[in-house]
Amino acid sequence: MITPAFLKPGDKVGIVATARKVSPEEVEPAIKTMESWGLEVITGAGLYLAENQFAGNDDQRASDLQRMLDDPEIKAIICARGGYGTVRIIDQLDFSAFEKQTKWIVGFSDITVLHSHINKHFGIETLHATMPLNFPGDGSHSGSVEALKSVLFGEVADYKVVTGNLSRPGHARGEVVGGNLSILYSLSGTASDIETRGKILFIEDLDEYLYHIDRMMINLKRSGKLEELAGLVVGGMSQMRDNAVPYGKSAEEIIADTVKNYKYPVLFGFPAGHIKDNMPLIFGREALLDVAKDSSGLIFTQSQKTNQKEKVGNLVKPVLFITAFFALIWLLYFLLLGNQI
């Protein structure tokens, strides 16, 4: 996997809305916070557009994201919010410039579409983390916002958490992939479908009927996506719904029952997803998962490699400069020699 360059003060970051509409009032706290980090925030031209529930029509949202992908000065793209709509524009996007000059893609929920697509096709790490909509509006410090800053600026993500009920002890090592369960389910059979073999799968969800959680888990099981995992991490399963006739199990119990015959470690209660403490996860990065009785850990390894094309470019530039310098010296020498003759 390729690790985009970490941020430093003075870098430019972009904010775009790929899904649901968002207002200036909802985004302003995030702009102020990121500016306090020393970053220059560039907002998408169509960030505050609105067409029904979307942040503008499909073409407008795709165009906004495309400009950010293509702009070499933008070092990270922060998606303003989730909702629904990113899947409607994914096939319009051209990632060729992004692949040559990588940058962080940040977001969660509906942004799972981008995480899965980029991980599968380009082997570039992305960041499952809080978004501008969730930045505190009162200027207070948020654990998830501070953690986002830390990871973007290059600190290693290292989490020690209380082991949730129904967890299964064990150790695992593998790349972390995943995101919102409903979005992963919607990507099944498409060009953006997730690949899970030998990986640590993270899932979370919000506001779903319990029977639908079961339906989606059975889909993952029948499609082979649960069979050869290195491990499973379950985040927030928030505000679940039930029918008049109860389903009879919680979301966590449904998940535990679906994977009960597999041997890999399972961690419930990880602080990520549609919850207050939404800790960043580096998708595509290798991590160590240690699930024990009382306390568990998820420790991401150091970045694996930077973009080789960027590396080559950085090496070639000084070589070209030196070559051009000496060529100019030889040209001046021969011109002067010619004048003397």
Side-chain angles (χ1 to χ4, degrees):
M1 281 289 174
I2 295 166
T3 302
F6 294 110
L7 300 186
K8 60 185 184 303
D11 280 345
K12 292 181 180 180
V13 298
I15 299 180
V16 295
T18 62
R20 195 160 187 159
K21 62 186 178 183
V22 67
S23 70
E25 293 75 21
E26 291 171 316
V27 176
E28 188 61 30
I31 294 175
K32 290 181 178 178
T33 298
M34 288 188 279
E35 287 177 342
S36 75
W37 298 347
L39 301 174
E40 181 179 350
V41 181
I42 308 298
T43 55
L47 178 60
Y48 303 123
L49 293 177
E51 182 172 289
N52 299 317
Q53 66 174 282
F54 299 114
N57 62 40
D58 292 349
D59 290 339
Q60 290 167 329
R61 299 196 317 282
S63 178
D64 234 14
L65 178 53
Q66 189 68 61
R67 281 192 292 268
M68 294 292 185
L69 289 170
D70 294 343
D71 188 341
E73 294 189 351
I74 299 294
K75 304 304 180 184
I77 300 173
I78 320 293
C79 296
R81 66 165 302 164
Y84 170 72
T86 309
V87 73
R88 294 180 58 87
I89 66 173
I90 189 67
D91 295 324
Q92 297 183 41
L93 299 172
D94 179 358
F95 289 92
S96 55
F98 167 76
E99 190 178 9
K100 293 174 183 175
Q101 200 153 23
T102 60
K103 59 195 73 180
W104 290 102
I105 304 294
V106 182
F108 74 108
S109 192
D110 195 62
I111 314 307
T112 298
V113 176
L114 292 174
H115 293 310
S116 184
H117 191 86
I118 291 170
N119 180 277
K120 180 174 183 176
H121 291 284
F122 307 110
I124 298 169
E125 294 177 0
T126 58
L127 194 53
H128 181 280
T130 193
M131 297 182 287
L133 181 72
N134 308 114
F135 277 51
D138 57 3
S140 62
H141 292 283
S142 162
S144 56
V145 171
E146 291 301 313
L148 169 62
K149 176 189 176 183
S150 296
V151 174
L152 282 174
F153 280 80
E155 291 189 21
V156 176
D158 182 348
Y159 302 113
K160 298 293 184 183
V161 301
V162 175
T163 303
N165 295 334
L166 303 175
S167 295
R168 184 163 61 213
H171 306 276
R173 185 186 190 112
E175 290 179 6
V176 179
V177 297
N180 181 264
L181 178 59
S182 296
I183 301 299
L184 294 174
Y185 174 73
S186 75
L187 297 177
S188 182
T190 73
S192 307
D193 200 355
I194 194 171
E195 294 182 354
T196 62
R197 181 177 297 179
K199 300 183 180 182
I200 296 172
L201 176 63
F202 167 79
I203 55 174
E204 63 86 26
D205 220 323
L206 168 76
D207 193 28
E208 283 289 348
Y209 279 95
L210 292 170
Y211 81 91
H212 196 207
I213 296 293
D214 188 80
R215 172 190 287 161
M216 294 186 289
M217 290 302 300
I218 294 300
N219 175 274
L220 290 181
K221 183 176 183 178
R222 295 189 68 226
S223 61
K225 291 183 173 60
L226 299 178
E227 185 175 358
E228 297 184 56
L229 292 180
L232 176 64
V233 176
V234 183
M237 287 286 161
S238 312
Q239 300 174 32
M240 294 290 117
R241 302 190 199 183
D242 207 350
N243 298 105
V245 178
Y247 189 77
K249 296 178 183 177
S250 69
E252 289 80 4
E253 289 170 333
I254 292 168
I255 295 168
D257 185 63
T258 308
V259 300
K260 65 183 179 183
N261 293 326
Y262 304 125
K263 303 301 182 184
Y264 47 74
V266 180
L267 174 60
F268 283 93
F270 189 84
H274 291 80
I275 54 179
K276 182 178 180 181
D277 293 322
N278 182 12
M279 295 295 105
L281 294 168
I282 308 171
F283 282 171
R285 175 79 61 86
E286 186 179 70
L288 305 176
L289 174 64
D290 180 16
V291 183
K293 182 179 179 181
D294 299 315
S295 174
S296 298
L298 182 68
I299 304 171
F300 285 87
T301 61
Q302 295 285 348
S303 58
Q304 299 171 55
K305 61 181 179 179
T306 56
N307 192 325
Q308 294 301 316
K309 293 179 181 178
E310 291 179 19
K311 273 187 171 181
V312 171
N314 291 335
L315 291 172
V316 168
K317 286 176 183 178
V319 172
L320 291 175
F321 176 80
I322 294 170
T323 302
F325 176 77
F326 281 106
L328 180 61
I329 295 297
W330 277 107
L331 178 61
L332 291 173
Y333 174 78
F334 282 113
L335 287 174
L336 291 171
L337 183 64
N339 290 335
Q340 292 176 359
I341 296 173

